[in-house]
Amino acid sequence: MFNLKEILTATMVLFAVIDIIGSIPIILKLRKKAGHIQSEKAALVALVVMILFVFVGESILGLIGINVYEFAVAGSFILFFIALEMILGVSIFKDDETLSKKTVSVFPLAFPLVAGPGTLTSLLALRAEYELMNILVAVALNILLVYVVLKTSKHIERFLGKNGIAVIHKVFGVILLAIAVKLFTANIQELFR
């Protein structure tokens, strides 16, 4: 059943994790190196990866003997470190520099920039707390936003400027940090029940 609060919360979680606005400098760098980015292809691949993970992610975890709550607790640590990167402006995770002009829209743009480890972890953590339909709506809204940003990244950068993007990056870092703490506390309680 659709729940507006769940949709908004899940949308905000995914928006903060994907951080497509904060990724504009990376998108522009990829566009400059590759010459062109296929926004439709990138958005579609990211959508397919995210939806597949919503449906089969839990089964994959089951095969290796991990439940959703354990994965959500582990995911809260990943989100915590991503948030620290955003807030402190440090790089904890290593960036892969391999880049092909033919595949740039799929790798590294759709995966792992949009549908990366943080996003997939968040999806499973959300799955532990929210209704499936609400998560799917949140995924669709975020992919729509990703598509719009990919199409208009040059204009957004001009409008916000480097300082504006930096401020948005920090604000969503703080929001993501709070979400990581909430995910940790909610799911750690489930593990000890």
Side-chain angles (χ1 to χ4, degrees):
M1 184 157 173
F2 290 107
N3 178 322
L4 190 61
K5 186 177 179 237
E6 282 192 9
I7 291 170
L8 286 174
T9 306
T11 301
M12 287 299 289
V13 168
L14 292 172
F15 181 75
V17 175
I18 293 169
D19 187 31
I20 196 67
I21 302 293
S23 298
I24 287 175
I26 299 165
I27 294 163
L28 292 170
K29 188 168 91 176
L30 291 173
R31 182 170 273 142
K32 192 174 180 182
K33 282 185 181 179
H36 174 68
I37 286 175
Q38 295 170 294
S39 306
E40 298 84 2
K41 187 176 183 180
L44 189 64
V45 169
L47 178 68
V48 169
V49 169
M50 289 166 74
I51 287 176
L52 275 175
F53 204 76
V54 166
F55 286 104
V56 298
E58 202 171 334
S59 303
I60 293 167
L61 290 180
L63 285 173
I64 53 176
I66 298 170
N67 70 35
V68 177
Y69 302 114
E70 292 163 339
F71 192 80
V73 168
S76 70
F77 288 113
I78 292 173
L79 297 182
F80 177 81
F81 288 115
I82 292 170
L84 285 183
E85 277 190 343
M86 292 168 76
I87 296 165
L88 303 175
V90 295
S91 185
I92 297 168
F93 297 106
K94 185 179 173 277
D95 291 329
D96 190 354
E97 288 298 315
T98 39
L99 186 65
S100 162
K101 290 183 179 185
K102 290 180 182 175
T103 62
V104 70
S105 298
V106 175
F107 180 86
L109 194 53
F111 180 84
L113 193 66
V114 176
T119 306
L120 301 181
T121 301
S122 301
L123 287 171
L124 276 191
L126 289 168
R127 185 82 200 268
E129 288 188 53
Y130 299 139
E131 289 289 323
L132 178 64
M133 286 309 298
N134 298 325
I135 296 168
L136 293 177
V137 171
V139 166
L141 289 171
N142 271 280
I143 292 299
L144 183 65
L145 185 68
V146 163
Y147 173 73
V148 169
V149 170
L150 289 176
K151 274 290 193 199
T152 61
S153 55
K154 286 180 182 173
H155 303 295
I156 293 170
E157 188 197 34
R158 247 182 273 133
F159 177 73
L160 292 175
K162 286 188 178 176
N163 290 337
I165 290 172
V167 168
I168 289 169
H169 206 64
K170 304 276 187 225
V171 168
F172 277 98
V174 173
I175 291 169
L176 192 57
L177 191 59
I179 290 164
V181 171
K182 182 181 181 284
L183 273 177
F184 178 80
T185 53
N187 289 286
I188 202 84
Q189 288 168 1
E190 291 294 331
L191 285 178
F192 288 110
R193 277 187 187 165

